[in-house]
Amino acid sequence: MDWRLLAAQGYAESQFDPTLVSWAGARGIMQIMPSTARAFGLDDSEIAAPEPNIRAAAQIMASIDRSMQKYVADPEERMKFNLAAYNAGVGHIYDAIALPRKYCRNPQIWDGQVSVTLRMKDRPEYYNDSVCHFGYFRGRQTTAYVNKVIAFYNKSKKYVNP
């Protein structure tokens, strides 16, 4: 994984503040939920420490990427899905991938396709659709998150060598 993408996430998540705790309880530079941290071997006492926090986020992103490979073939495109899943949870992204198939959109393209169906999950006719299994979700924040991370990542690729 490109370290500049992780840096872009850290900036979007916390502006690199290791002491930040979200309203939902996510902690550290990469804003990892304690239960997720534990699932990836990060002890509660280490969750805010920068190095373990970032290492766990890299492991989480690698795990998400493995699960998204069967849905999105193109690695550049999949990166957007991975970021969305990191922010929203994989289940909501699975729903957002299932909806385009039913509503004549491309389930392997994020911009203008799956990003749109993710935002549709705040309406009962979509989150109650038989292809959705993870319920209501307000996708606007997630689509903004993906855009923010990608913008910062693209900027960093211009100025910082890998």
Side-chain angles (χ1 to χ4, degrees):
M1 178 173 191
D2 189 336
W3 69 268
R4 295 169 299 184
L5 181 61
L6 278 174
Q9 281 184 271
Y11 176 75
E13 290 287 351
S14 69
Q15 294 189 329
F16 306 118
D17 181 354
T19 65
L20 190 67
V21 178
S22 78
W23 64 268
R27 300 185 54 209
I29 289 172
M30 302 304 284
Q31 289 293 281
I32 301 173
M33 292 298 287
S35 59
T36 304
R38 284 190 296 277
F40 283 86
L42 187 61
D43 186 83
D44 286 352
S45 65
E46 303 177 291
I47 194 169
E51 188 176 326
N53 185 272
I54 294 167
R55 188 177 330 114
Q59 292 170 341
I60 293 164
M61 286 296 287
S63 175
I64 291 169
D65 188 62
R66 285 189 298 276
S67 70
M68 288 294 156
Q69 284 178 1
K70 62 185 166 196
Y71 297 100
V72 185
D74 180 77
E76 289 291 315
E77 198 61 38
R78 191 170 58 244
M79 179 174 53
K80 297 171 190 173
F81 286 76
N82 294 346
L83 291 168
Y86 185 91
N87 183 264
V90 175
H92 290 298
I93 305 310
Y94 287 159
D95 282 355
I97 290 169
L99 284 167
R101 291 188 193 116
K102 187 170 183 176
Y103 294 100
C104 301
R105 293 186 181 273
N106 188 333
Q108 292 200 28
I109 303 294
W110 177 258
D111 293 317
Q113 302 295 315
V114 175
S115 65
V116 171
T117 57
L118 181 65
R119 289 191 311 268
M120 291 164 55
K121 284 191 46 145
D122 66 354
R123 291 178 266 167
E125 65 265 34
Y126 298 108
Y127 68 76
N128 288 324
D129 191 295
S130 62
V131 301
C132 286
H133 303 290
F134 295 91
Y136 173 84
F137 186 73
R138 289 183 312 156
R140 207 169 292 286
Q141 190 273 337
T142 296
T143 56
Y145 171 81
V146 170
N147 292 338
K148 182 177 183 178
V149 173
I150 294 296
F152 190 76
Y153 176 58
N154 287 336
K155 219 179 260 187
S156 70
K157 285 195 309 185
K158 238 167 134 176
Y159 300 109
V160 181
N161 292 323

